[in-house]
Amino acid sequence: MSEQGLFGPFGGSYVPEDLQKVLDLLANEFVKAKEDPAFLQEYKDILREFVGRENPLTYAKNLTEKCGGAKIYLKREDLNHTGAHKINNAVGQILLAKRMGAKRVIAETGAGQHGVATATVCAMLGIDCVIYMGKHDISRQALNVFRMELLGATVKSVAAGQGRLKDAVDAALADLIENYQTTFYLLGSAVGPHPFPSMVKFFQSIISEESKQQILEREGKLPTAVVACAGGGSNAIGSFAHYIDEKQVRLIGVEPAEAPTLTKGVPAVIHGFKCLTLLDEDGNPSPTYSIAAGLDYPGIGPEHSYLKETGRAEYVTVSGEEALTAFKLLSETEGIIPALESAHAISYACKLAKELDKQDVIIVNLSGRGDKDVQQVFEMEQSN
Ligand SMILES: *Cc1c(COP(=O)(O)O)cnc(C)c1O
């Protein structure tokens, strides 16, 4: 990565000048913070005492027998406080916000997961929190709105445009430009202009830092493959990070077949950075639909775009229907209800296991728990 946050031709920062100044300040502070032992200690302490890390690497014995072939291990991000990996990044960025003297943290949210993780950490660290959410999404996600409010956050409804995630991003950016001296913008995935992709990777790399040590203790060797679902790409890049230089370890990102950014995308600039992107005939980001809200994004982190182009990582697709089958399979065989996002990774891991040997080891990143999806799956079953 160069100083401008380039990953080969991807990444960078394509934003208006006033926003660029804010990002430069942030990039400078991040470089200092990640070299500061006191900052890193506080980050690790909160991960231990509040998030519940380190979380286990669970051998999925029954799933392994059912799929047949390689041994499948699950990295249990679902056991984190608030039920997914997103809180790792929220802790890191909010500590950075405090270090920079910010009085308030703002974020946007679509389905509400990132908003809840942000509001949670803001409550614990005692900092004001404003979450922008499209009007349309607010009406669909009433319970998450209530959760954020319980946690003391202000949820601002955005009626502009279609009242969806993109409009919430625009509103949050306008707030940041106006209030940058007091305000920190917390981005939830490994996307956006520099330094966000590098920062989010840094705070999510704890996943592979732990899993590498855990698998070496357990199996005495590195895994054959690491498998993770990829929406914006933060849980995937975090679970790949410490294996990228271990060339014998296969890194596999699983995208929804309904939003196959890396499989079918072309290089383009969206939301202030360059990545492989799904475009429609007019060259605009395509509308996508995945049964897993967290995977529903027409772009992907710049480093994934680069890992794909260089061949270091592989990217495959799994359909919503296959994910649903895996959702039930993991629940029945292991007593773990996965998030629908994570179920995409489970589905592919089971396919891959069959192609590999009994001596091979697969680590699947279980990015989150499925409690948030039970109602949706229930309704899908009822309408069948
Ligand atoms: C948000 C979310 C994702 C997708 O985000 P990434 O940045 O691609 O990791 C995946 N799984 C869960 C459980 C999520 O909440």
Side-chain angles (χ1 to χ4, degrees):
M1 191 201 79
S2 83
E3 281 187 358
Q4 300 79 40
L6 289 174
F7 301 88
F10 302 108
S13 179
Y14 301 80
V15 300
E17 215 171 301
D18 42 4
L19 183 53
Q20 188 59 53
K21 284 186 206 144
V22 183
L23 294 176
D24 290 344
L25 282 175
L26 178 60
N28 284 337
E29 198 59 35
F30 172 59
V31 167
K32 283 186 235 156
K34 71 176 183 170
E35 303 295 335
D36 178 352
F39 178 84
L40 297 175
Q41 189 60 50
E42 194 175 6
Y43 165 68
K44 291 257 168 123
D45 286 347
I46 293 173
L47 290 184
R48 192 184 66 248
E49 289 188 11
F50 187 66
V51 175
R53 305 198 77 99
E54 95 180 4
N55 59 39
L57 182 71
T58 305
Y59 174 45
K61 183 167 175 288
N62 302 330
L63 182 69
T64 297
E65 278 166 15
K66 193 98 184 175
C67 298
K71 279 177 137 175
I72 301 174
Y73 282 85
L74 308 172
K75 181 59 178 155
R76 302 293 304 280
E77 295 301 305
D78 63 311
L79 292 179
N80 294 342
H81 181 41
T82 67
H85 67 290
K86 285 191 173 74
I87 196 162
N88 304 326
N89 174 52
V91 169
Q93 287 198 44
I94 294 170
L95 283 178
L96 193 60
K98 292 200 84 163
R99 185 185 159 100
M100 293 176 77
K103 299 280 173 281
R104 62 199 276 269
V105 165
I106 61 173
E108 81 291 329
T109 197
Q113 298 304 115
H114 174 51
V116 170
T118 302
T120 299
V121 181
C122 283
M124 195 274 285
L125 287 172
I127 191 163
D128 286 349
C129 180
V130 174
I131 305 293
Y132 286 92
M133 198 166 177
K135 195 175 170 196
H136 176 81
D137 292 329
I138 284 190
S139 65
R140 288 193 309 178
Q141 299 290 341
L143 262 184
N144 272 340
V145 174
F146 184 59
R147 266 190 197 103
M148 290 183 259
E149 288 170 350
L150 274 178
L151 293 160
T154 304
V155 179
K156 287 202 175 170
S157 175
V158 180
Q162 296 186 296
R164 288 177 192 267
L165 181 62
K166 182 186 172 302
D167 310 297
V169 174
D170 291 341
L173 283 174
D175 180 327
L176 176 66
I177 289 171
E178 188 167 331
N179 300 302
Y180 74 92
Q181 279 162 322
T182 57
T183 300
F184 186 98
Y185 182 27
L186 204 171
L187 229 162
S189 190
V191 298
H194 179 67
F196 284 108
S198 303
M199 219 159 70
V200 174
K201 177 188 183 185
F202 183 79
F203 293 128
Q204 292 293 0
S205 294
I206 186 73
I207 300 172
S208 50
E209 184 182 319
E210 288 178 5
S211 79
K212 193 174 186 180
Q213 209 180 347
Q214 288 170 316
I215 201 70
L216 286 173
E217 273 167 26
R218 190 70 196 256
E219 290 284 336
K221 63 180 181 189
L222 292 173
T224 312
V226 178
V227 178
C229 65
S234 72
N235 89 88
I237 205 69
S239 51
F240 293 175
H242 286 266
Y243 301 102
I244 290 176
D245 291 335
E246 309 279 5
K247 293 286 167 357
Q248 75 273 32
V249 179
R250 288 172 66 184
L251 305 175
I252 306 174
V254 184
E255 302 189 294
E258 298 78 10
T261 314
L262 286 166
T263 319
K264 299 236 175 86
V266 295
V269 173
I270 59 163
H271 302 148
F273 70 107
K274 192 184 266 187
C275 66
L276 292 173
T277 308
L278 295 170
L279 298 177
D280 65 17
E281 284 146 25
D282 302 327
N284 297 315
S286 302
T288 53
Y289 176 75
S290 165
I291 60 164
L295 300 184
D296 212 352
Y297 183 59
I300 179 94
E303 191 168 2
H304 287 294
S305 304
Y306 182 64
L307 292 171
K308 150 93 193 205
E309 297 271 285
T310 57
R312 175 63 191 95
E314 306 158 54
Y315 295 88
V316 299
T317 61
V318 158
S319 71
E321 205 169 316
E322 291 172 299
L324 201 55
T325 304
F327 178 86
K328 294 174 190 162
L329 177 67
L330 192 71
S331 303
E332 284 169 15
T333 55
E334 297 292 344
I336 300 170
I337 302 176
L340 280 172
E341 289 85 357
S342 324
H344 285 73
I346 297 289
S347 173
Y348 186 74
C350 188
K351 262 188 254 179
L352 178 65
K354 295 184 211 301
E355 294 165 16
L356 298 176
D357 231 58
K358 281 198 180 332
Q359 284 78 42
D360 286 310
V361 169
I362 300 173
I363 294 179
V364 185
N365 196 45
L366 198 66
S367 56
R369 68 175 83 125
D371 303 32
K372 69 182 178 60
D373 299 317
V374 168
Q375 172 100 22
Q376 183 189 339
V377 173
F378 174 69
E379 282 165 12
M380 283 159 68
E381 302 275 290
Q382 298 288 308
S383 64
N384 272 336

